[in-house]
């Protein structure tokens, strides 16, 4: 009987928590990272874009430090009478874009690397966002460069700079 008690006392115990405790116990060298999200943004409507399935849409994928808030379309070009469309950009409330910001920054609006030509007149375009939080393990692999993901969204050009709040 004594051998049975010793055997029970030495067996590993399982947790019924959220699962993070077990993951942390298995990978004690992985620090806890702030939330990072894969964000798909789609702007559709009265814009200059190819017609697909009866809609004109522009899509972009981003990796944003959370929390991720509102997305808005901001006019960045000059409205000229001789031109039928005006340049706009998407601004998203977050703590910055990865990898341009290797860690979260100030929570504010940041530009997505997308320029959209909005036709004058008619209904304003709609913005739809889908966000998926990455696991702490995935964030660790991204930050340490051990992830071999060839489809990682990156920023080139004019993306991920702070955007005006208005």
């Amino acid at each position: 009987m004594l051998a049975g008690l010793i055997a029970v006392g030495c067996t590993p115990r399982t947790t019924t928590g959220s699962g993070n405790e077990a993951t942390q116990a298995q990978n004690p060298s992985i620090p806890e990272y702030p939330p990072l999200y894969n964000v798909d943004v789609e702007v559709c409507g009265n814009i200059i874009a190819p017609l697909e399935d009866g809609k004109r849409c522009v899509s972009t994928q981003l990796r944003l430090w959370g929390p991720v808030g509102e997305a808005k379309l901001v006019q960045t070009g000059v409205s000229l009478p001789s031109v039928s469309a005006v340049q706009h950009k998407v601004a998203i409330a977050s703590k910055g874009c990865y990898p341009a910001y290797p860690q979260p920054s100030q929570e504010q609006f940041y530009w997505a690397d997308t320029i959209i030509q909005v036709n004058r007149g008619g209904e304003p375009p709609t913005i739809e966002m889908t966000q998926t939080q990455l696991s702490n393990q995935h964030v660790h692999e991204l930050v340490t460069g051990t992830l071999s993901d060839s489809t990682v969204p990156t920023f080139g050009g004019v993306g991920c700079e702070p955007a005006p709040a208005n």
Side-chain angles (χ1 to χ4, degrees):
M1 186 164 129
L2 182 60
L5 288 174
I6 292 172
V8 169
C10 293
T11 53
R13 298 178 188 209
T14 59
T15 61
T16 58
S18 65
N20 278 346
E21 298 91 355
T23 303
Q24 290 292 332
Q26 292 171 2
N27 298 316
S29 63
I30 297 178
E32 190 66 30
Y33 289 95
L36 184 63
Y37 295 84
N38 277 339
V39 180
D40 294 315
V41 181
E42 185 175 65
V43 179
C44 296
N46 189 22
I47 63 175
I48 296 176
L51 185 64
E52 291 182 23
D53 300 324
K55 298 188 323 185
R56 296 188 186 279
C57 298
V58 172
S59 299
T60 190
Q61 293 182 325
L62 311 166
R63 216 165 246 154
L64 301 173
W65 292 109
V68 178
E70 170 190 11
K72 61 185 178 179
L73 202 56
V74 179
Q75 181 176 328
T76 56
V78 178
S79 180
L80 300 172
S82 60
V83 180
S84 64
V86 180
Q87 179 176 301
H88 286 67
K89 289 172 54 177
V90 176
I92 302 175
S94 70
K95 289 188 174 184
C97 319
Y98 184 85
Y101 289 84
Q103 59 186 350
S105 186
Q106 179 180 344
E107 189 168 343
Q108 62 186 24
F109 280 94
Y110 291 89
W111 292 122
D113 194 16
T114 305
I115 296 173
I116 299 167
Q117 298 294 332
V118 178
N119 292 313
R120 289 190 290 177
E123 291 292 316
T126 60
I127 301 175
E128 290 186 23
M129 263 192 333
T130 305
Q131 52 185 299
T132 307
Q133 185 172 354
L134 301 177
S135 69
N136 194 61
Q137 175 74 30
H138 195 145
V139 175
H140 178 71
E141 290 170 0
L142 281 172
V143 170
T144 59
T146 57
L147 184 67
S148 60
D149 184 358
S150 61
T151 62
V152 173
T154 58
F155 284 80
V158 295
C160 208
E161 296 172 1
N166 53 1

